[in-house]
Tab-separated table of all heavy atoms in Angstrom:
chain	number	residue	atom	x	y	z
A	821	GLN	N	133.860	123.582	94.565
A	821	GLN	CA	132.929	122.460	94.440
A	821	GLN	C	133.601	121.228	95.018
A	821	GLN	O	134.608	120.761	94.492
A	821	GLN	CB	132.541	122.227	92.976
A	821	GLN	CG	131.498	121.132	92.786
A	821	GLN	CD	131.229	120.841	91.325
A	821	GLN	OE1	132.161	120.785	90.512
A	821	GLN	NE2	129.964	120.666	90.976
A	822	GLN	N	133.042	120.680	96.087
A	822	GLN	CA	133.705	119.567	96.769
A	822	GLN	C	133.524	118.256	96.033
A	822	GLN	O	134.465	117.462	95.939
A	822	GLN	CB	133.175	119.438	98.195
A	822	GLN	CG	133.914	118.377	99.003
A	822	GLN	CD	133.588	118.424	100.470
A	822	GLN	OE1	132.693	119.141	100.883
A	822	GLN	NE2	134.324	117.669	101.269
A	823	TYR	N	132.325	117.999	95.533
A	823	TYR	CA	132.044	116.756	94.826
A	823	TYR	C	131.378	117.074	93.491
A	823	TYR	O	130.646	118.067	93.381
A	823	TYR	CB	131.109	115.857	95.651
A	823	TYR	CG	131.799	115.103	96.759
A	823	TYR	CD1	132.040	115.700	97.989
A	823	TYR	CD2	132.206	113.787	96.579
A	823	TYR	CE1	132.666	115.015	99.014
A	823	TYR	CE2	132.836	113.088	97.606
A	823	TYR	CZ	133.064	113.710	98.817
A	823	TYR	OH	133.695	113.027	99.816
A	824	PRO	N	131.610	116.246	92.462
A	824	PRO	CA	130.865	116.437	91.219
A	824	PRO	C	129.363	116.401	91.497
A	824	PRO	O	128.887	115.625	92.317
A	824	PRO	CB	131.309	115.242	90.359
A	824	PRO	CG	132.635	114.850	90.924
A	824	PRO	CD	132.561	115.120	92.388
A	825	PHE	N	128.662	117.269	90.813
A	825	PHE	CA	127.210	117.421	90.948
A	825	PHE	C	126.803	118.119	92.245
A	825	PHE	O	125.620	118.348	92.465
A	825	PHE	CB	126.490	116.067	90.823
A	825	PHE	CG	126.896	115.263	89.628
A	825	PHE	CD1	127.602	114.086	89.766
A	825	PHE	CD2	126.601	115.714	88.341
A	825	PHE	CE1	128.002	113.346	88.660
A	825	PHE	CE2	126.991	114.982	87.225
A	825	PHE	CZ	127.691	113.806	87.382
A	826	ASP	N	127.765	118.430	93.133
A	826	ASP	CA	127.464	119.279	94.281
A	826	ASP	C	127.237	120.705	93.803
A	826	ASP	O	127.733	121.100	92.736
A	826	ASP	CB	128.636	119.281	95.264
A	826	ASP	CG	128.549	118.157	96.268
A	826	ASP	OD1	127.587	117.373	96.171
A	826	ASP	OD2	129.438	118.059	97.131
A	827	PRO	N	126.543	121.513	94.585
A	827	PRO	CA	126.451	122.933	94.233
A	827	PRO	C	127.827	123.594	94.332
A	827	PRO	O	128.692	123.168	95.108
A	827	PRO	CB	125.489	123.500	95.283
A	827	PRO	CG	125.549	122.545	96.415
A	827	PRO	CD	125.781	121.184	95.796
A	828	THR	N	128.037	124.607	93.519
A	828	THR	CA	129.279	125.379	93.571
A	828	THR	C	129.121	126.471	94.612
A	828	THR	O	128.191	127.269	94.555
A	828	THR	CB	129.602	125.988	92.203
A	828	THR	OG1	129.782	124.924	91.257
A	828	THR	CG2	130.868	126.825	92.267
A	829	HIS	N	130.046	126.530	95.562
A	829	HIS	CA	129.930	127.468	96.677
A	829	HIS	C	130.739	128.731	96.400
A	829	HIS	O	131.876	128.667	95.932
A	829	HIS	CB	130.412	126.815	97.969
A	829	HIS	CG	129.612	125.614	98.362
A	829	HIS	ND1	128.332	125.696	98.862
A	829	HIS	CD2	129.901	124.285	98.293
A	829	HIS	CE1	127.866	124.491	99.107
A	829	HIS	NE2	128.801	123.606	98.768
A	830	ASP	N	130.149	129.860	96.703
A	830	ASP	CA	130.796	131.155	96.549
A	830	ASP	C	131.557	131.458	97.835
A	830	ASP	O	130.968	131.808	98.859
A	830	ASP	CB	129.738	132.236	96.285
A	830	ASP	CG	130.350	133.596	95.992
A	830	ASP	OD1	131.562	133.777	96.231
A	830	ASP	OD2	129.610	134.486	95.537
A	831	LEU	N	132.874	131.327	97.795
A	831	LEU	CA	133.679	131.479	98.997
A	831	LEU	C	133.798	132.927	99.448
A	831	LEU	O	134.290	133.188	100.546
A	831	LEU	CB	135.076	130.889	98.779
A	831	LEU	CG	135.119	129.401	98.435
A	831	LEU	CD1	136.553	128.892	98.495
A	831	LEU	CD2	134.240	128.581	99.356
A	832	LEU	N	133.363	133.868	98.628
A	832	LEU	CA	133.372	135.272	99.033
A	832	LEU	C	132.106	135.651	99.792
A	832	LEU	O	132.042	136.732	100.387
A	832	LEU	CB	133.520	136.182	97.813
A	832	LEU	CG	134.809	136.033	97.020
A	832	LEU	CD1	134.782	136.938	95.793
A	832	LEU	CD2	136.033	136.350	97.880
A	833	ARG	N	131.118	134.759	99.782
A	833	ARG	CA	129.829	135.119	100.385
A	833	ARG	C	129.236	134.045	101.288
A	833	ARG	O	128.232	134.296	101.948
A	833	ARG	CB	128.822	135.460	99.279
A	833	ARG	CG	129.186	136.708	98.502
A	833	ARG	CD	128.256	136.954	97.332
A	833	ARG	NE	128.586	138.188	96.639
A	833	ARG	CZ	129.542	138.271	95.706
A	833	ARG	NH1	130.223	137.195	95.365
A	833	ARG	NH2	129.793	139.425	95.129
A	834	GLU	N	129.831	132.861	101.327
A	834	GLU	CA	129.288	131.785	102.151
A	834	GLU	C	130.243	131.507	103.308
A	834	GLU	O	131.227	130.781	103.155
A	834	GLU	CB	129.083	130.529	101.314
A	834	GLU	CG	128.049	130.702	100.210
A	834	GLU	CD	127.782	129.395	99.476
A	834	GLU	OE1	127.660	128.350	100.143
A	834	GLU	OE2	127.699	129.429	98.234
A	835	PRO	N	129.968	132.079	104.471
A	835	PRO	CA	130.929	131.994	105.577
A	835	PRO	C	131.118	130.595	106.144
A	835	PRO	O	132.084	130.356	106.845
A	835	PRO	CB	130.332	132.944	106.623
A	835	PRO	CG	128.880	133.030	106.280
A	835	PRO	CD	128.804	132.912	104.796
A	836	PHE	N	130.202	129.673	105.863
A	836	PHE	CA	130.409	128.301	106.333
A	836	PHE	C	131.662	127.702	105.707
A	836	PHE	O	132.341	126.870	106.299
A	836	PHE	CB	129.190	127.449	105.993
A	836	PHE	CG	129.307	126.028	106.464
A	836	PHE	CD1	129.054	125.696	107.785
A	836	PHE	CD2	129.686	125.015	105.596
A	836	PHE	CE1	129.165	124.376	108.234
A	836	PHE	CE2	129.795	123.694	106.031
A	836	PHE	CZ	129.536	123.382	107.353
A	837	TYR	N	132.010	128.149	104.485
A	837	TYR	CA	133.139	127.590	103.751
A	837	TYR	C	134.375	128.483	103.786
A	837	TYR	O	135.493	127.993	103.657
A	837	TYR	CB	132.740	127.339	102.295
A	837	TYR	CG	131.655	126.306	102.156
A	837	TYR	CD1	130.320	126.680	102.069
A	837	TYR	CD2	131.951	124.949	102.138
A	837	TYR	CE1	129.313	125.724	101.966
A	837	TYR	CE2	130.958	123.990	102.043
A	837	TYR	CZ	129.640	124.385	101.951
A	837	TYR	OH	128.648	123.442	101.864
A	838	SER	N	134.201	129.787	103.924
A	838	SER	CA	135.360	130.680	103.863
A	838	SER	C	135.004	132.038	104.453
A	838	SER	O	133.864	132.499	104.338
A	838	SER	CB	135.821	130.861	102.417
A	838	SER	OG	136.829	131.852	102.323
A	839	THR	N	136.002	132.679	105.068
A	839	THR	CA	135.845	134.061	105.526
A	839	THR	C	137.020	134.897	105.027
A	839	THR	O	137.548	135.738	105.740
A	839	THR	CB	135.759	134.136	107.065
A	839	THR	OG1	136.901	133.480	107.628
A	839	THR	CG2	134.495	133.482	107.582
A	840	GLU	N	137.438	134.662	103.806
A	840	GLU	CA	138.583	135.382	103.248
A	840	GLU	C	138.205	136.823	102.923
A	840	GLU	O	137.031	137.192	102.828
A	840	GLU	CB	139.078	134.685	101.989
A	840	GLU	CG	138.096	134.750	100.824
A	840	GLU	CD	138.551	133.924	99.643
A	840	GLU	OE1	138.220	132.728	99.580
A	840	GLU	OE2	139.226	134.490	98.792
A	841	PHE	N	139.229	137.637	102.715
A	841	PHE	CA	139.027	139.035	102.340
A	841	PHE	C	138.813	139.137	100.834
A	841	PHE	O	139.566	138.567	100.049
A	841	PHE	CB	140.243	139.877	102.735
A	841	PHE	CG	140.482	139.972	104.212
A	841	PHE	CD1	141.500	139.237	104.804
A	841	PHE	CD2	139.693	140.768	105.006
A	841	PHE	CE1	141.728	139.302	106.169
A	841	PHE	CE2	139.910	140.856	106.380
A	841	PHE	CZ	140.930	140.118	106.956
A	842	LYS	N	137.803	139.884	100.456
A	842	LYS	CA	137.592	140.159	99.031
A	842	LYS	C	138.601	141.188	98.541
A	842	LYS	O	139.108	141.108	97.419
A	842	LYS	CB	136.172	140.656	98.773
A	842	LYS	CG	135.881	140.974	97.309
A	842	LYS	CD	134.425	141.416	97.111
A	842	LYS	CE	134.165	141.857	95.673
A	842	LYS	NZ	134.365	140.762	94.713
A	843	THR	N	138.898	142.186	99.362
A	843	THR	CA	139.848	143.224	98.987
A	843	THR	C	140.840	143.471	100.121
A	843	THR	O	140.486	143.383	101.296
A	843	THR	CB	139.142	144.560	98.663
A	843	THR	OG1	138.476	145.042	99.848
A	843	THR	CG2	138.122	144.386	97.553
A	844	ILE	N	142.065	143.757	99.749
A	844	ILE	CA	143.075	144.265	100.677
A	844	ILE	C	143.849	145.349	99.948
A	844	ILE	O	144.230	145.176	98.783
A	844	ILE	CB	144.042	143.168	101.158
A	844	ILE	CG1	143.295	142.042	101.875
A	844	ILE	CG2	145.098	143.755	102.089
A	844	ILE	CD1	144.197	140.923	102.366
A	845	ALA	N	144.062	146.472	100.618
A	845	ALA	CA	144.830	147.578	100.035
A	845	ALA	C	145.854	148.052	101.051
A	845	ALA	O	145.615	148.012	102.265
A	845	ALA	CB	143.904	148.722	99.640
A	846	SER	N	147.000	148.467	100.560
A	846	SER	CA	148.024	149.037	101.434
A	846	SER	C	148.637	150.242	100.756
A	846	SER	O	148.645	150.355	99.527
A	846	SER	CB	149.113	148.011	101.759
A	846	SER	OG	149.830	147.642	100.595
A	847	GLY	N	149.117	151.169	101.562
A	847	GLY	CA	149.753	152.366	101.021
A	847	GLY	C	150.742	152.940	102.005
A	847	GLY	O	150.630	152.732	103.216
A	848	SER	N	151.731	153.645	101.503
A	848	SER	CA	152.726	154.250	102.387
A	848	SER	C	153.170	155.596	101.831
A	848	SER	O	153.142	155.843	100.616
A	848	SER	CB	153.940	153.331	102.548
A	848	SER	OG	154.640	153.191	101.321
A	849	ILE	N	153.575	156.477	102.754
A	849	ILE	CA	154.176	157.770	102.422
A	849	ILE	C	155.478	157.873	103.203
A	849	ILE	O	155.473	157.683	104.429
A	849	ILE	CB	153.261	158.947	102.798
A	849	ILE	CG1	151.872	158.782	102.179
A	849	ILE	CG2	153.873	160.272	102.362
A	849	ILE	CD1	150.870	159.802	102.696
A	850	THR	N	156.565	158.138	102.512
A	850	THR	CA	157.868	158.288	103.156
A	850	THR	C	158.404	159.685	102.886
A	850	THR	O	158.453	160.127	101.726
A	850	THR	CB	158.866	157.245	102.642
A	850	THR	OG1	158.384	155.935	102.949
A	850	THR	CG2	160.239	157.428	103.279
Side-chain angles (χ1 to χ4, degrees):
Q821 184 185 42
Q822 185 169 9
Y823 281 83
F825 310 112
D826 272 1
T828 299
H829 298 287
D830 185 347
L831 300 190
L832 297 177
R833 294 174 177 83
E834 296 185 43
F836 181 80
Y837 296 95
S838 172
T839 54
E840 67 186 89
F841 295 104
K842 180 178 175 63
T843 63
I844 300 180
S846 65
S848 66
I849 306 171
T850 299

